[in-house]
């Protein structure tokens, strides 16, 4: 999913210069001993996510072989007409998250981090498995709801309502959102008149105006001055303290080490390691992917796009099987 | 387990038991219809704000701004008047006041057409929003149709002004325009629900909706009297007279123009069309609630 542009604040390394008090007992939280410390807030059971991509060519088709002109023309048409690929982005991930935990999700580009985050936030349907969650999950970021043609004022109302606040609640928080975004009178101008820094501060301020039970942060690279970096770190910590459980997707090892006490390492859609942040990050930096466990349900072959992954029909039944609640 | 080996997954039965022990709910499960409807009602402020903002944003970014909301349908009427009122005089046969007839038909039909076109893209065009925030997805088709409604009001006001300039005195029967518009809204929303699901599953169909509305524009009697023309077509003509688009145009026109008549059969059929479309479309949309946002 190349949609990380939704959220354009970043957790810069500089912002984590201050050390955080490590939470206690974090190391013992494993799927193997789920009732250890803290109450489970989320149970993820063998989740698979796949999605359709239109108009692309099947990956893995590029070889050094040069086809004839006729074949090239023919294949070109085949690549744009009726070409649908199924990307099996997350393959059988399981874990249990607990109250008061903050969990970093690390992995290389395309490992399925963002897709996993969206699936466990309930935003992208998963094709097999199950996700159980207590309370409200929210992905930090309301960009998709905002309209740059509108003024900051109206976007604050729109974004707040999109997050599920009432009108009265948005009005109540209006001043603090404007103050946090530090945009002053610009709040009365359309957002397309803002500098990129102002726009990203306002988006961040709106998206943190509501505190969910399970907070998910998908970091993308962006600019932002050091002062704002520091304030956004404080805000995330504040949210984290109230939120119960925080998930953080990041490329930055430093950000994960500073913010999280537990880490999940994804590789090619599979969970390869789950444990205290120190151990996982050490192994991740060393770069050695542990061998697949025998009998692991997620042990699909290692070619990323599989046309015959869980099919649409399976996916549909998977999604509809749990027609309760 | 601290050794760098892959973590063992919890067996599914244990996972489900653990979840139920701690009162966790399963994500991605489709809610019951009643609970779903209630959750849409709770999000009414968001729905309305989204509709208002979209309507405002659509005409932003030009010198005349919101004035375009009125100018565009007026220009449309102008084109139809030139072609069907002047160039092809036979088209206005059997209509006393062709301009009023045309204005009401065009404004109402364009609302239906853009409601269907945009309703079909309600999910597909907002897939980023669907993947970013949690809310009942039916909010999107509702809000898209509301956007069209909001954008229609100024045009409606202009329509009434034109009709009055043409010498039609306001009477109590003008109030029938309200139920006519409500029926049209329900019908468009119901079709929007249906199309939004179909198009989000198969985006190709999104390209066919404008073709279909184009066909409807030519057969529904927007710029000619269907009653006069259908007389020569037997049963097919009767179908054309009672298909939803033609029927709704007749209901709206009968409220203003004395030359157009709509009886209890017309109103009853209009109600049946609207309720059927709305209920069936809503249920059809809800059945796929857990699947939106995958594609």
């Amino acid at each position: 999913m190349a949609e990380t542009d939704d959220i354009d604040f970043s957790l810069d390394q500089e912002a984590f210069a201050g050390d955080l008090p490590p939470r206690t007992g974090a190391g013992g939280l494993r799927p193997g001993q789920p009732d250890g410390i803290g109450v489970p807030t989320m149970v993820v059971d063998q989740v698979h996510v796949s999605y359709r991509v239109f108009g692309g060519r099947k990956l893995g088709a590029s070889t050094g072989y040069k086809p004839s002109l006729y074949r090239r023309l023919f294949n070109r048409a085949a690549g744009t007409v009726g070409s649908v690929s199924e990307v099996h982005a997350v393959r059988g991930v399981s874990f249990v998250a607990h109250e008061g935990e903050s969990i970093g999700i690390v992995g290389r580009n395309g490992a399925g981090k963002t897709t996993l985050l969206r699936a466990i936030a309930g935003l992208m349907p998963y094709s097999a498995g199950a996700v159980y969650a207590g309370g409200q999950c929210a992905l930090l970021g309301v960009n998709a709801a905002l309209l740059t043609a509108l003024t900051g004022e109206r976007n604050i109302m729109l974004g707040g309502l999109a997050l599920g606040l009432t009108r009265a609640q948005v009005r109540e928080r209006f001043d603090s959102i404007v103050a946090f975004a530090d945009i002053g009178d610009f709040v009365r101008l359309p957002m397309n008149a803002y500098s990129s820094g102002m726009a990203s501060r306002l988006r961040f301020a709106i998206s943190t105006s509501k505190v969910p039970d399970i907070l998910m942060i998908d970091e993308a690279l962006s600019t932002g001055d050091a002062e704002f970096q520091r304030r956004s770190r404080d805000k995330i910590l504040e949210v984290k303290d109230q939120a119960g459980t925080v998930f953080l997707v990041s490329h930055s090892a430093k950000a994960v080490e500073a913010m999280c006490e537990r880490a999940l390492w994804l590789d090619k859609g599979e969970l390869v390691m789950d444990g205290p942040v120190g151990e996982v990050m050490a192994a991740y930096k060393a770069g050695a992917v542990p061998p697949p466990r025998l009998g692991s349900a997620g042990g699909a072959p290692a070619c990323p796009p599989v046309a015959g992954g869980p099919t649409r029909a399976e996916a549909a039944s998977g999604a509809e099987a749990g027609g309760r609640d | 387990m601290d050794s760098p080996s892959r973590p063992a997954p919890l067996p599914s039965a244990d996972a489900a038991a653990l979840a139920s022990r701690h009162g966790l709910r399963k994500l991605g499960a489709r809610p019951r219809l009643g609970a779903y409807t209630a959750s849409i009602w709770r999000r009414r402020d968001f729905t309305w704000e989204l509709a208002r903002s979209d309507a405002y944003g659509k005409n932003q970014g030009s010198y005349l701004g919101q004035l375009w909301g009125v100018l565009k349908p007026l220009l449309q009427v102008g084109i139809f008047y030139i072609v069907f009122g002047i160039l092809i005089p036979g088209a206005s046969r059997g209509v006393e006041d062709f301009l009023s007839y045309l204005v009401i038909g065009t404004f109402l039909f364009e609302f239906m057409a853009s409601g269907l076109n945009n309703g079909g893209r309600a999910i597909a065009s907002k897939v980023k929003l669907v993947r970013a925030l949690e809310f009942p997805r039916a909010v999107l088709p509702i809000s898209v149709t509301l956007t069209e409604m909001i954008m229609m009001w100024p045009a409606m006001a202009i329509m009434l002004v034109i009709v009055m300039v043409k010498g039609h005195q306001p009477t109590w029967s003008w109030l029938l325009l309200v139920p006519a518009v409500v029926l049209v809204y329900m019908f468009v929303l119901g079709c929007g629900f249906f199309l939004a699901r179909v198009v989000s599953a198969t985006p190709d169909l999104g390209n066919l909706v404008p073709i279909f509305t184009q066909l409807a524009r030519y057969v529904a009697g927007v710029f000619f009297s269907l009653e006069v023309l259908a007389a020569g077509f037997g049963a097919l003509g009767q179908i054309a007279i009672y298909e939803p688009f033609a029927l709704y145009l007749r209901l709206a026109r009968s409220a203003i123009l004395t030359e157009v008549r709509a009886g209890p059969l017309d109103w009853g059929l209009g109600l049946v069309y609207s309720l059927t479309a709305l209920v069936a479309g809503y249920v059809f949309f809800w059945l796929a609630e857990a699947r939106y946002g995958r594609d």
Side-chain angles (χ1 to χ4, degrees):
Chain A
M1 307 301 309
E3 285 188 11
T4 36
D5 56 322
D6 273 2
I7 298 109
D8 63 354
F9 48 84
S10 71
L11 306 174
D12 198 21
Q13 284 89 313
E14 305 307 315
F16 298 98
D19 52 346
L20 299 167
R23 284 171 189 266
T24 51
L29 306 170
R30 268 346 129 56
Q33 15 181 215
D35 278 336
I37 301 139
V39 178
T41 50
M42 178 171 271
V43 177
V44 177
D45 173 31
Q46 293 290 325
V47 158
H48 289 260
V49 185
S50 50
Y51 52 88
R52 279 184 307 174
V53 180
F54 286 98
R57 293 199 189 185
K58 296 229 174 358
L59 290 183
S62 62
T63 55
Y65 159 72
K66 285 233 170 182
S68 69
L69 178 65
Y70 169 78
R71 193 166 279 258
R72 280 213 307 274
L73 288 172
F74 188 76
N75 283 354
R76 186 148 303 165
T80 46
V81 177
S83 151
V84 181
S85 328
E86 187 118 356
V87 176
H88 193 172
V90 174
R91 301 155 179 256
V93 169
S94 300
F95 62 87
V96 177
H98 303 79
E99 243 170 36
E101 259 190 317
S102 58
I103 301 173
I105 302 177
V106 295
R108 291 183 301 180
N109 283 325
K113 306 184 294 287
T114 297
T115 310
L116 174 65
L117 200 67
R118 289 203 170 142
I120 63 180
L123 299 170
M124 237 181 117
Y126 42 88
S127 39
V131 177
Y132 306 90
Q136 202 211 7
C137 308
L139 190 65
L140 195 54
V142 290
N143 291 15
L146 306 184
L147 295 170
T148 51
L150 302 184
T151 61
E153 266 174 325
R154 286 190 66 172
N155 270 309
I156 290 174
M157 181 54 81
L158 182 61
L161 291 173
L163 289 169
L165 297 171
T166 63
R167 275 186 197 279
Q169 284 171 320
V170 179
R171 274 186 218 108
E172 198 176 284
R173 293 166 206 208
F174 186 87
D175 290 338
S176 69
I177 291 173
V178 175
F180 184 80
D182 195 18
I183 52 172
D185 287 340
F186 270 85
V187 75
R188 305 202 188 287
L189 288 182
M191 265 182 85
N192 46 25
Y194 292 15
S195 73
S196 56
M198 284 159 67
S200 95
R201 288 202 301 270
L202 179 61
R203 284 195 278 262
F204 183 85
I206 295 173
S207 58
T208 52
S209 63
K210 189 184 182 205
V211 181
D213 301 307
I214 300 173
L215 176 69
M216 320 224 169
I217 304 165
D218 189 353
E219 172 220 30
L221 296 176
S222 161
T223 53
D225 54 43
E227 163 68 9
F228 183 66
Q229 293 285 351
R230 191 186 56 71
R231 285 195 300 155
S232 54
R233 187 196 75 150
D234 291 348
K235 189 80 178 184
I236 289 174
L237 290 178
E238 181 196 321
V239 171
K240 176 183 144 179
D241 279 344
Q242 302 171 42
T245 307
V246 176
F247 287 92
L248 171 67
V249 163
S250 180
H251 292 297
S252 154
K254 267 195 179 159
V256 171
E257 280 166 348
M259 291 283 299
C260 307
E261 62 263 10
R262 177 177 164 192
L264 306 177
W265 176 9
L266 281 187
D267 192 61
K268 289 174 185 160
E270 291 176 48
L271 184 60
V272 293
M273 208 173 159
D274 174 5
V277 70
E279 284 173 29
V280 176
M281 293 314 288
Y284 175 59
K285 283 176 191 162
V289 177
R293 195 170 259 274
L294 284 178
S296 152
C303 53
V306 185
T311 59
R312 298 277 298 160
E314 262 180 70
S317 67
E320 296 200 333
R324 60 187 189 85
D325 189 14
Chain B
M1 211 192 270
D2 284 345
S3 63
S5 70
R6 301 197 177 203
L10 203 61
S12 290
D14 292 6
L18 177 68
S20 72
R21 198 155 62 241
H22 292 284
L24 308 184
R25 74 199 154 87
K26 188 173 178 190
L27 290 187
R30 187 182 62 221
R32 283 175 197 285
L33 194 56
Y36 187 65
T37 310
S39 71
I40 295 170
W41 176 246
R42 278 196 301 277
R43 290 305 212 116
R44 61 192 180 277
D45 282 344
F46 173 51
T47 311
W48 176 246
E49 192 69 27
L50 192 63
R52 225 163 56 100
S53 305
D54 272 341
Y56 188 81
K58 271 192 185 171
N59 285 321
Q60 243 349 52
S62 56
Y63 285 110
L64 295 180
Q66 302 304 315
L67 205 55
W68 280 111
V70 175
L71 285 178
K72 276 188 280 192
L74 272 181
L75 292 171
Q76 180 88 321
V77 167
I79 290 173
F80 285 153
Y81 190 76
I82 291 170
V83 175
F84 298 101
I86 299 171
L87 295 180
I88 313 175
S92 55
R93 178 164 60 101
V95 183
E96 287 167 28
D97 180 359
F98 185 63
L99 183 64
S100 300
Y101 190 87
L102 183 65
V103 166
I104 301 172
T106 307
F107 283 18
L108 202 71
F109 186 83
E110 291 311 315
F111 166 70
M112 292 195 268
S114 55
L116 294 187
N117 292 342
N118 295 326
R121 288 197 298 266
I123 298 288
S125 66
K126 293 249 193 248
V127 80
K128 277 191 164 189
L129 187 58
V130 168
R131 285 183 186 159
L133 293 166
E134 195 185 6
F135 56 88
R137 305 314 185 195
V139 159
L140 292 178
I142 296 173
S143 135
V144 165
T145 319
L146 274 174
T147 300
E148 296 300 327
M149 191 80 154
I150 293 167
M151 292 173 72
M152 184 180 72
W153 287 128
M156 281 293 203
I158 296 288
M159 176 184 100
L160 293 180
V161 169
I162 292 176
V163 169
M164 281 192 275
V165 167
K166 288 289 287 179
H168 297 270
Q169 296 299 321
T171 62
W172 288 111
S173 80
W174 283 33
L175 289 179
L176 285 175
L177 200 57
V178 176
V181 169
V182 168
L183 289 183
V184 168
Y185 181 82
M186 286 162 60
F187 179 75
V188 169
L189 179 57
C191 294
F193 278 134
F194 175 81
L195 291 172
R197 171 173 170 184
V198 167
V199 171
S200 88
T202 314
D204 308 57
L205 294 173
N207 297 324
L208 294 182
V209 179
I211 307 284
F212 171 76
T213 52
Q214 185 81 321
L215 173 70
R217 185 176 289 120
Y218 287 103
V219 300
V222 175
F223 32 68
F224 58 85
S225 170
L226 196 63
E227 283 73 10
V228 172
L229 205 76
F233 283 88
L236 206 62
Q238 289 305 304
I239 294 174
I241 286 178
Y242 289 106
E243 55 93 7
F245 294 98
L247 183 81
Y248 291 129
L249 293 187
R250 184 157 62 251
L251 295 183
R253 280 170 176 152
S254 74
I256 312 273
L257 307 174
T258 46
E259 61 176 303
V260 180
R261 305 215 168 273
L265 172 68
D266 292 307
W267 285 98
L269 205 55
L271 189 65
V272 169
Y273 284 151
S274 296
L275 284 177
T276 311
L278 188 59
V279 172
Y282 179 62
V283 171
F284 182 72
F285 183 89
W286 162 77
L287 285 171
E289 174 70 7
R291 294 210 289 276
Y292 300 118
R294 183 207 299 281
D295 304 310

